[in-house]
Amino acid sequence: MVTGLSMGEGLPEKRDVGDGTVFRTEGLTKVYHMGEVDVQALRGVDMELFSGEMVVLLGPSGSGKSTLLNILGGLDTASGGCVTYRGMDLTKATDKELTQYRRSHVGFVFQFYNLIPSLTALENVTIVTEVSDNPMDPRDALRLVGLSERSDHFPSQLSGGEQQRVAIARAIAKNPSVLLCDEPTGALDSATGVLVLEAIERVNREMGTTTAVITHNSDIAAMADRVMRMSGGMIIEVTVNEHRKPPREIHW
Amino acid sequence: MKALNRKLLRNLWEMKAQSLAIAIVIVSGVATFFLSISTMESLKRTQAKFYTDYRFADVFSSLKRAPNALAERIAEIPGVERVDTRVLAEVKLDMPDYADPVTGRLVSVPETEQAELNQLYIAEGRNVQPDRDDEVVVGEAFAEAHQIRPGYSFGAVINGRLKQLRVVGIALSPEYIFQMQAGSIFPDFEHYAVMWMGRTPLGTAYDMDGAFNHVALSVNSEETVEDVIDRLDVLLEPYGGTGAYGRADQVSHRYLSEEFKQLANMATVFPTIFLGVAAFLLNIVVTRLIDTQREQIAVLKAFGYSNRDIGIHYAGLVLAITLVGVAGGIAVGAWLGRGMSNMYMEYYRFPFMDYRLGVATVLEGALIAVASAMAGTLFAVRRAASLSPAVAMRPAPPAVYRESVVERFGLGRFLSPPTRMIARNIERKPVKSLLTVIGIAFACAVLVSGLFFGDAVDYIVEVQFGLAQRDDLTVSFVEPTSDSALYSLRGLQGVERVEPFRSVPATLRFGHRTYRTSIQGVRGGGDLYRLLDNRFQQVELPPRGVVLTDYLAGILRISPGDMLTVEVLEGERPVREVPVAGLVTEFIGASAYMEISALNRLMREGNAVSGAYMATDSNYDPQLYRELHDMPRVAGTTVRKLAIDSFYETMSRQILIFTSIMTALAMSIAFGVVYNSARISLSERSRDLGSLRVLGFTRAEVSYILLGELAILTLVATPVGFALGRGIAGYMTAGMETDLFRIPVVINMDTYAFSAAVVFVAAVASGIVVKLRLDRLDLVEILKTKE
Ligand SMILES: Nc1ncnc2c1ncn2[C@@H]1O[C@H](COP(=O)(O)OP(=O)(O)OP(=O)(O)O)[C@@H](O)[C@H]1O
Ligand SMILES: [Mg+2]
């Protein structure tokens, strides 16, 4: 491997303390070419994500939140600038290396859950643990999100909130070092959304998983250690919460 | 089990009907492959075993008469291993309670009981006692046709004397696996017999004591065959040898070889079609499946599944469907192969059939099926594998629709909105629409090209016996006779017309090319035997010169105007130069024709005739048969109608079975294509159609939009299928053209009609299945799901 990004050998340590920086981006840009027009989704993002913290990304639609998260998670590659994960340059990684990176380090939660409809809740978790190096027992993961009893149900037999909790179980079951959530409550009502957020918060708290949550809902920002506001492809403001508000106390 | 595999199985289960429809097409392809290859190999193996065990000879020659002592000189020819001299005689038979003329060939069995070569397999009873003049062993085909068992007696006119013969055994011989009378165009087991009789009595009857008129040899290596033939010809020339020939020209062996060619042909043409269609179906089904699973692919990739994992996953799905098809193909292929091999045994008389579907064949077939399925889905699977997870996460861009051609021509206002939707949808996916048309067309083509053989046979019979050979019966004389013999024929009651023919065996030579055939001398302007040009117009026989079958002219590379060297293999064996006066078209054989008096002149003989064509009043037939039977000069009588009837009778069962199989195969394609196209359209458009239902369209109107498209594609496909079927028929017959026969591509209207009907039935059936699904469309569910 030319890029010097070596993974899968347990390197680097998942619970790196070092300087505590998990992600660092510098002048990160992303341009989508749509025929004639170029869409500038990111216009130079400089940010850091520290080990164990919970960050909420806020911003209007089209501001580039998902784009940023996708690049951090290795789903997409940047057009310019630099993004490192624990000192390794993701911008130079090959497709194969990104796959290995996602497999070893990243857990995703998506707005529309994206469970595999032909697999049960448990199997949806298993399908991920089967390809990770150091997974937890899929049943434990389901227990963590409070769905042990529903493990043999298919997604079509679960409510939206339950599906999203299965998605969280799926994301954490591999013991990822980072958990990236793109509007996890976007399709849910407030009460259900709280359950989902509680699950995320618990993972972050109990397992120390570095967590980034995208939301449109500024109320949710209260549960974060830090809040980043995006607009027009840039981070325009970062605020630090003195203390995190438990999701239970959040209403919208 | 891995969760990913579980997903695969459940996906398969969800689309079980579609998978099954595809698997059945694969079954058809693989089964036709196994069927033809296993039948061919089993026949070949059986043939080889029969040949070895019963010592089938390598070289044969008939001659007029030679002393037995010549056998020793023949044995001295380098390369010759065994020599078997025998006596062959053509006889008239007198079957009890049976009016039709029957002729037979008597073959001598040596004193040692078992011949050196071409030994008999006694299926029932025993061999003849060499010295008994009243015992015969009869060939199985004839025995079956007349339900003859050992103990049965019948009469035979042996050298002019009627003799009662007793059947002591039923036998098969490697020399007569396929039995056909010289000069016939198809086998007639009912009116022609092969029989074996002791050498001594047969020799005595035909003045062949210590002599022989036929010889068979085996050689120690195939390379020496040509040499041995040349030397044997030299040795036999003074004894009236009519030219030695190898296995390649031995009738029974030759027909078997042609059968193998046909089977090999079938093993390529049909599987190619079926597997091609299956590959296309897999392509559209897997492409659709991957489209609907874009987001699942994205998630799997987001969680670290690699391109390879995804590729293998979908390839596995294709593989699973293919292997189900292969497994079914093995079962169906072996079953049909066994049946077909046994059916072949009605034509080709083997003592046993060593039927096996070999492991190598199975592997080969499986490999071909898997390779074609993979090739068909390679593109779709690769696209799935390399789908970027970020892209896959967002839904596919909405379909782009345009005005259809019809509308652009300004005809849109004549179309109702649903019809416009149909037109636009066909146009939106031109490749898919085109391939669907081709797929359905192939269903039709398989039938057309599979069933046209019956039409071609009818046509050959019609041309050969309606236009060319118009006699009711052919009489052949024991030996060339003065044409005064015709008077006695003309005098018989019921005889309306008699035309003589003279048949002379000869080797034709032009440059370094030669061909052994017989020159038929027929009467110019004759009515009972007409020569036809390629437009089936009667060709006038010129007073001099020879007229060749166009196929023979092709073999010799000779054209009208060239001088042909004729080496006669009879009598004084003259060698003459004769101009080629013209060409005639015939489907069967490769003969040369001359005006009978020109042939007589060439032979420097008087008005000799070998036999006569006769037109008769059928009311007098039984009596006429009797009288001909009793004429010592008449060696045999062939009644055209009886021969044709017997042929059709033997063939009808085969044709029925073959038709049923082809119909089933074609239906599998038609159903597979129409059903899968419909299901995919339904899956792609259930939202549109559901919305229309919500807006108040009736079920019928919505079905029309979906099924109308398929109806149009089916209608377009049918004529394409006709043309395609014709093309395939042409391709197959071109590969089977030989000097034995040429199969014309003649396809009757009813074959086209039947093929179209089968395709329509399959299309309607699959339409109904899809409509039932459409009718159950859950409107709420559809509007809820996001595409
Ligand atoms: N694959 C793509 N092709 C073209 N343009 C894209 C693509 N993905 C994102 N964009 C564009 O990039 C910009 C940023 O998109 P992004 O999805 O990151 O926004 P977002 O902040 O997540 O918005 P939302 O809150 O609506 O999800 C948008 O203008 C979007 O249209
Ligand atoms: Mg977004």
Side-chain angles (χ1 to χ4, degrees):
Chain A
M1 300 207 181
V2 213
T3 56
L5 187 80
S6 85
M7 279 166 294
E9 310 289 319
L11 271 176
E13 286 295 312
K14 283 194 172 178
R15 295 286 168 262
D16 184 331
V17 254
D19 65 352
T21 311
V22 180
F23 286 108
R24 168 173 291 129
T25 71
E26 276 162 27
L28 194 67
T29 60
K30 176 72 185 180
V31 183
Y32 290 107
H33 304 283
M34 291 278 286
E36 313 280 273
V37 282
D38 284 353
V39 180
Q40 186 90 34
L42 296 180
R43 310 170 180 263
V45 173
D46 301 304
M47 55 89 83
E48 284 167 325
L49 226 61
F50 302 113
S51 189
E53 75 170 333
M54 154 106 61
V55 166
V56 164
L57 275 169
L58 283 175
S61 187
S63 56
K65 307 180 294 291
S66 297
T67 306
L68 176 61
L69 205 73
N70 285 349
I71 292 173
L72 293 181
L75 286 180
D76 213 345
T77 47
S79 309
C82 164
V83 51
T84 56
Y85 169 76
R86 293 185 198 272
M88 298 167 318
D89 195 342
L90 289 182
T91 39
K92 292 200 184 103
T94 62
D95 188 59
K96 226 179 186 156
E97 288 159 345
L98 285 180
T99 300
Q100 193 58 44
Y101 160 66
R102 295 195 300 265
R103 179 182 288 215
S104 312
H105 303 284
V106 191
F108 287 100
V109 177
F110 305 103
Q111 179 177 3
F112 294 107
Y113 339 130
N114 290 35
L115 297 180
I116 312 267
S118 50
L119 296 180
T120 62
L122 183 65
E123 288 161 354
N124 261 289
V125 179
T126 318
I127 200 166
V128 169
T129 56
E130 273 169 359
V131 293
S132 39
D133 314 321
N134 178 29
M136 57 170 95
D137 183 335
R139 291 177 187 284
D140 292 341
L142 281 179
R143 195 167 304 123
L144 219 60
V145 295
L147 281 177
S148 319
E149 281 83 63
R150 311 298 299 273
S151 57
D152 290 332
H153 289 184
F154 285 91
S156 58
Q157 299 165 317
L158 298 172
S159 75
E162 286 159 349
Q163 287 187 55
Q164 191 62 301
R165 275 145 71 199
V166 173
I168 292 167
R170 173 174 71 179
I172 58 165
K174 63 196 285 188
N175 277 319
S177 36
V178 290
L179 181 60
L180 305 177
C181 312
D182 194 343
E183 297 185 44
T185 59
L188 303 173
D189 65 37
S190 137
T192 320
V194 167
L195 285 179
V196 167
L197 291 177
E198 274 187 324
I200 293 173
E201 198 266 346
R202 184 166 166 201
V203 169
N204 171 262
R205 184 162 36 79
E206 290 180 5
M207 301 166 57
T209 311
T210 310
T211 306
V213 178
I214 291 179
T215 176
H216 274 129
N217 189 335
S218 44
D219 295 325
I220 293 176
M223 69 182 273
D225 294 308
R226 290 195 299 152
V227 182
M228 298 184 183
R229 278 180 199 281
M230 287 192 74
S231 178
M234 283 184 287
I235 293 181
I236 50 165
E237 183 195 77
V238 179
T239 51
V240 179
N241 287 338
E242 281 306 308
H243 56 192
R244 293 163 31 165
K245 201 170 178 183
R248 201 173 322 109
E249 293 167 24
I250 299 174
H251 302 282
W252 65 87
Chain B
M1 196 198 300
K2 284 272 176 83
L4 199 59
N5 296 336
R6 222 170 279 172
K7 166 179 177 304
L8 191 148
L9 287 184
R10 295 208 182 116
N11 287 159
L12 272 175
W13 183 247
E14 281 157 20
M15 43 186 243
K16 53 185 175 299
Q18 280 173 281
S19 310
L20 198 68
I22 297 174
I24 288 173
V25 180
I26 297 174
V27 167
S28 300
V30 175
T32 42
F33 180 80
F34 290 155
L35 161 70
S36 13
I37 297 279
S38 70
T39 304
M40 180 172 81
E41 287 184 342
S42 302
L43 282 172
K44 275 188 177 168
R45 193 169 40 240
T46 306
Q47 178 200 38
K49 189 155 162 47
F50 194 28
Y51 278 6
T52 319
D53 292 356
Y54 291 82
R55 298 197 193 159
F56 182 50
D58 296 304
V59 175
F60 309 79
S61 182
S62 61
L63 53 142
K64 194 135 183 71
R65 185 181 196 278
N68 282 347
L70 191 68
E72 273 158 45
R73 293 195 35 217
I74 294 173
E76 282 163 12
I77 295 175
V80 170
E81 222 169 46
R82 290 196 170 83
V83 179
D84 188 45
T85 64
R86 56 251 181 96
V87 176
L88 259 56
E90 304 294 326
V91 296
K92 287 181 283 191
L93 301 185
D94 199 355
M95 304 305 290
D97 307 319
Y98 191 76
D100 299 358
V102 179
T103 51
R105 160 174 289 186
L106 276 172
V107 183
S108 68
V109 177
E111 282 80 8
T112 50
E113 277 207 21
Q114 200 49 301
E116 277 291 302
L117 295 167
N118 304 321
Q119 299 177 337
L120 291 184
Y121 169 90
I122 304 290
E124 211 183 330
R126 59 169 173 85
N127 205 339
V128 292
Q129 282 176 3
D131 53 337
R132 293 293 298 258
D133 66 352
D134 61 346
E135 288 187 2
V136 282
V137 161
V138 301
E140 192 193 60
F142 180 72
E144 270 175 20
H146 288 270
Q147 286 153 3
I148 293 173
R149 306 284 310 271
Y152 187 91
S153 284
F154 58 89
V157 181
I158 297 180
N159 209 8
R161 276 204 306 276
L162 181 65
K163 177 137 193 70
Q164 276 307 116
L165 299 175
R166 204 161 52 83
V167 175
V168 295
I170 312 290
L172 299 111
S173 156
E175 202 180 355
Y176 298 101
I177 292 172
F178 184 73
Q179 290 177 22
M180 203 162 87
Q181 189 173 11
S184 299
I185 64 168
F186 36 60
D188 178 356
F189 301 146
E190 202 176 324
H191 301 104
Y192 182 67
V194 179
M195 299 161 296
W196 289 267
M197 188 184 210
R199 168 76 176 259
T200 315
L202 193 58
T204 310
Y206 283 93
D207 188 23
M208 289 277 168
D209 290 317
F212 63 93
N213 65 4
H214 201 272
V215 61
L217 325 166
S218 64
V219 297
N220 52 24
S221 102
E222 262 180 51
E223 286 94 74
T224 60
V225 166
E226 290 305 314
D227 266 358
V228 169
I229 287 175
D230 290 345
R231 284 166 192 256
L232 185 63
D233 276 343
V234 174
L235 267 184
L236 295 182
E237 215 206 289
Y239 302 99
T242 55
Y245 50 92
R247 284 182 176 183
D249 292 313
Q250 202 262 350
V251 173
S252 164
H253 183 88
R254 180 73 201 278
Y255 270 90
L256 262 174
S257 309
E258 294 303 329
E259 197 70 60
F260 296 152
K261 258 201 257 170
Q262 246 175 77
L263 284 169
N265 209 328
M266 191 170 140
T268 44
V269 173
F270 288 109
T272 306
I273 295 174
F274 290 116
L275 293 178
V277 170
F280 156 65
L281 293 181
L282 281 169
N283 176 291
I284 58 172
V285 168
V286 170
T287 301
R288 176 61 194 162
L289 182 76
I290 287 170
D291 279 350
T292 57
Q293 297 194 344
R294 278 168 67 93
E295 293 172 11
Q296 298 181 38
I297 295 170
V299 161
L300 289 173
K301 286 197 157 180
F303 283 101
Y305 278 85
S306 65
N307 295 359
R308 209 164 141 263
D309 297 332
I310 301 294
I312 289 174
H313 175 64
Y314 287 102
L317 189 112
V318 174
L319 189 69
I321 296 176
T322 310
L323 290 184
V324 168
V326 170
I330 293 174
V332 174
W335 177 64
L336 288 179
R338 187 175 294 279
M340 180 132 138
S341 299
N342 287 331
M343 205 164 82
Y344 268 116
M345 285 179 75
E346 285 178 27
Y347 281 108
Y348 299 103
R349 296 290 170 158
F350 292 104
F352 50 84
M353 175 57 65
D354 182 9
Y355 180 78
R356 244 180 297 159
L357 173 56
V359 177
T361 309
V362 168
L363 288 180
E364 195 186 343
L367 214 65
I368 293 172
V370 169
S372 57
M374 289 299 165
T377 48
L378 186 67
F379 185 70
V381 170
R382 273 244 311 264
R383 204 167 50 99
S386 57
L387 204 58
S388 140
V391 173
M393 200 61 76
R394 51 185 68 239
V400 181
Y401 282 93
R402 297 190 303 158
E403 288 192 317
S404 62
V405 177
V406 202
E407 291 170 88
R408 267 171 271 143
F409 275 113
L411 302 172
R413 64 201 140 98
F414 299 116
L415 305 179
S416 63
T419 309
R420 261 178 263 168
M421 284 180 76
I422 291 177
R424 287 176 199 170
N425 209 52
I426 290 176
E427 262 198 52
R428 185 171 72 85
K429 292 194 165 176
V431 177
K432 185 187 162 226
S433 301
L434 184 72
L435 288 176
T436 305
V437 165
I438 292 176
I440 300 172
F442 265 117
C444 190
V446 160
L447 272 172
V448 170
S449 62
L451 300 185
F452 96 99
F453 278 101
D455 297 347
V457 169
D458 289 347
Y459 186 73
I460 292 175
V461 168
E462 216 170 275
V463 169
Q464 194 72 24
F465 298 123
L467 300 175
Q469 284 170 262
R470 293 142 49 90
D471 60 323
D472 294 313
L473 50 87
T474 306
V475 161
S476 57
F477 294 130
V478 174
E479 50 186 9
T481 323
S482 147
D483 65 356
S484 59
L486 301 177
Y487 291 111
S488 49
L489 296 179
R490 286 202 182 97
L492 298 172
Q493 198 170 22
V495 172
E496 291 172 344
R497 204 182 163 89
V498 176
E499 287 176 14
F501 68 86
R502 174 81 175 97
S503 183
V504 174
T507 299
L508 308 183
R509 187 182 297 279
F510 182 64
H512 64 281
R513 293 171 213 279
T514 63
Y515 188 78
R516 221 181 62 104
T517 180
S518 66
I519 302 180
Q520 290 289 114
V522 295
R523 182 170 286 172
D527 201 38
L528 299 183
Y529 199 106
R530 291 174 169 182
L531 297 173
L532 307 173
D533 65 13
N534 53 11
R535 268 182 262 104
F536 304 120
Q537 300 300 310
Q538 185 166 8
V539 173
E540 282 305 322
L541 264 180
R544 60 176 55 81
V546 61
V547 168
L548 302 180
T549 307
D550 46 12
Y551 195 79
L552 176 55
I555 295 176
L556 295 172
R557 305 269 169 86
I558 198 168
S559 319
D562 292 335
M563 290 301 277
L564 177 73
T565 307
V566 174
E567 302 170 12
V568 175
L569 299 168
E570 189 187 285
E572 301 294 310
R573 305 175 78 93
V575 176
R576 308 249 195 270
E577 297 278 309
V578 185
V580 175
L583 302 182
V584 293
T585 298
E586 284 182 328
F587 298 125
I588 293 141
S591 302
Y593 296 92
M594 288 178 83
E595 217 292 319
I596 186 164
S597 45
L599 183 57
N600 286 149
R601 276 201 303 283
L602 180 138
M603 293 294 290
R604 306 258 155 86
E605 61 190 11
N607 292 332
V609 299
S610 306
Y613 302 119
M614 296 164 53
T616 63
D617 177 345
S618 60
N619 290 324
Y620 298 96
D621 276 350
Q623 186 190 335
L624 186 59
Y625 297 161
R626 193 77 258 141
E627 280 175 298
L628 288 171
H629 180 80
D630 292 342
M631 293 173 91
R633 243 200 294 244
V634 172
T637 307
T638 313
V639 183
R640 292 295 171 211
K641 189 180 167 312
L642 297 178
I644 296 168
D645 290 350
S646 152
F647 170 67
Y648 274 116
E649 198 179 305
T650 330
M651 235 181 46
S652 59
R653 203 169 71 91
Q654 264 91 335
I655 286 190
L656 186 71
I657 292 174
F658 195 66
T659 304
S660 328
I661 293 176
M662 292 317 290
T663 305
L665 294 179
M667 284 194 116
S668 78
I669 291 194
F671 188 85
V673 173
V674 177
Y675 179 70
N676 274 300
S677 302
R679 278 305 304 274
I680 285 166
S681 296
L682 178 60
S683 135
E684 283 171 353
R685 301 168 68 194
S686 53
R687 239 175 101 82
D688 299 359
L689 301 178
S691 309
L692 289 177
R693 290 271 290 118
V694 173
L695 294 178
F697 276 68
T698 64
R699 287 207 166 103
E701 282 163 337
V702 169
S703 306
Y704 168 69
I705 294 172
L706 187 70
L707 300 178
E709 179 184 335
L710 287 159
I712 289 174
L713 295 181
T714 307
L715 280 177
V716 171
T718 313
V720 176
F722 291 164
L724 211 54
R726 221 190 147 78
I728 295 168
Y731 171 81
M732 289 198 298
T733 52
M736 288 174 354
E737 258 186 18
T738 67
D739 51 331
L740 288 180
F741 50 78
R742 276 80 58 196
I743 298 172
V745 180
V746 175
I747 303 171
N748 293 347
M749 273 326 279
D750 52 359
T751 299
Y752 283 130
F754 179 76
S755 308
V758 169
V759 170
F760 287 145
V761 167
V764 168
S766 38
I768 288 171
V769 175
V770 173
K771 183 169 185 313
L772 291 179
R773 224 165 220 286
L774 188 60
D775 289 347
R776 288 199 311 264
L777 218 57
D778 182 337
L779 299 182
V780 180
E781 190 62 33
I782 284 169
L783 297 181
K784 238 170 46 183
T785 54
K786 67 189 190 67
E787 174 71 8

